[in-house]
Amino acid sequence: INAEYGGSDSAMEAELSIQWSDGIWLQQNPLTRDTALTYFYTSSFCDSSCLNLAVINGALPLDRLRTSPGIEYTLAFDQVEQHSLFIIEKQVRAVEGGPQRVTAVYYMLDGILYRSPDCFSVLASCMVQACHQLQAAVETVSKRKKFVAQRGYGWDFEEPAPASTAAKKRPREGEAAEREANAMLLRQMRLRIAPIDKPES
């Protein structure tokens, strides 16, 4: 059924990447529950061999619309308050009088028509985004690992302080060693200078 009525996977991917609207039609006709399907019939998404157009052209009696095999478009949802939204289902019947199966869903938002992605496409997109996030997390962890002799490997996730703040807080390079050398020099000087004995009176 998918190959005959539903369209190929490449056709579905092509429809997912486009949007359609007719500004001239919208200027002349308001979008309502009664005109939404008529507007859809003029779009590039509508299959010209659908049963709806066959009824409009007189090639199919109206009473056979619900039983004939083929493609039928139905209005599944409508909302005209604030932002107009219409949802249209593409249904396929394989045999005369048989059940219908939804093969595509379209939505019309403020006169712009889109094809809604199927569950597999949405799930695949979410999985790809999750993989990107996991890869970024692994790269961050690998960059922040550090080794401390007392504790072994660990991770440091603290953000480095700005250069100006860090410069104020960090002691000057060699300052501690210089202080220690000065202290040692003073101690040696005190040891070398013998105390001066006062003359006896």
Side-chain angles (χ1 to χ4, degrees):
I1 296 177
N2 183 61
E4 183 177 0
Y5 295 114
S8 62
D9 292 338
S10 59
M12 181 187 69
E13 293 178 1
E15 286 190 347
L16 289 173
S17 63
I18 63 174
Q19 62 184 37
W20 182 92
S21 64
D22 187 345
I24 298 177
W25 193 98
L26 293 173
Q27 290 178 0
Q28 299 174 354
N29 306 275
L31 270 179
T32 64
R33 179 181 179 85
D34 298 327
T35 61
L37 279 176
T38 303
Y39 180 63
F40 177 82
Y41 298 151
T42 64
S43 72
S44 58
F45 293 107
C46 181
D47 191 320
S48 58
S49 63
C50 68
L51 300 176
N52 307 74
L53 291 180
V55 171
I56 294 175
N57 297 331
L60 182 71
L62 180 60
D63 57 355
R64 291 200 55 201
L65 177 63
R66 303 302 180 186
T67 58
S68 297
I71 298 172
E72 180 185 357
Y73 295 102
T74 61
L75 185 63
F77 177 83
D78 65 281
Q79 172 187 297
V80 293
E81 300 164 351
Q82 295 181 351
H83 298 283
S84 63
L85 174 64
F86 301 91
I87 297 178
I88 298 171
E89 292 181 344
K90 179 181 182 179
Q91 300 180 348
V92 173
R93 181 181 292 107
V95 296
E96 181 75 25
Q100 288 181 315
R101 182 170 65 91
V102 177
T103 60
V105 177
Y106 304 88
Y107 64 96
M108 190 186 307
L109 180 62
D110 292 337
I112 303 177
L113 193 59
Y114 310 85
R115 174 163 179 167
S116 177
D118 56 14
C119 294
F120 175 79
S121 300
V122 174
L123 180 60
S125 177
C126 292
M127 291 294 292
V128 169
Q129 294 180 16
C131 289
H132 284 307
Q133 296 295 332
L134 287 174
Q135 182 178 1
V138 170
E139 292 176 354
T140 300
V141 169
S142 63
K143 291 178 181 178
R144 297 300 181 91
K145 69 179 180 181
K146 60 185 300 185
F147 178 78
V148 181
Q150 294 83 354
R151 297 191 301 269
Y153 281 101
W155 291 267
D156 182 11
F157 293 102
E158 293 184 2
E159 294 295 334
S164 57
T165 305
K168 294 179 182 178
K169 294 183 178 180
R170 187 172 57 250
R172 182 170 56 87
E173 185 177 358
E175 184 176 351
E178 184 178 349
R179 287 199 303 267
E180 185 176 353
N182 292 335
M184 185 179 297
L185 180 60
L186 291 173
R187 286 196 299 269
Q188 291 177 356
M189 291 176 64
R190 284 197 299 269
L191 292 175
R192 289 181 181 180
I193 299 176
I196 301 175
D197 295 333
K198 296 181 180 181
E200 295 181 358
S201 56

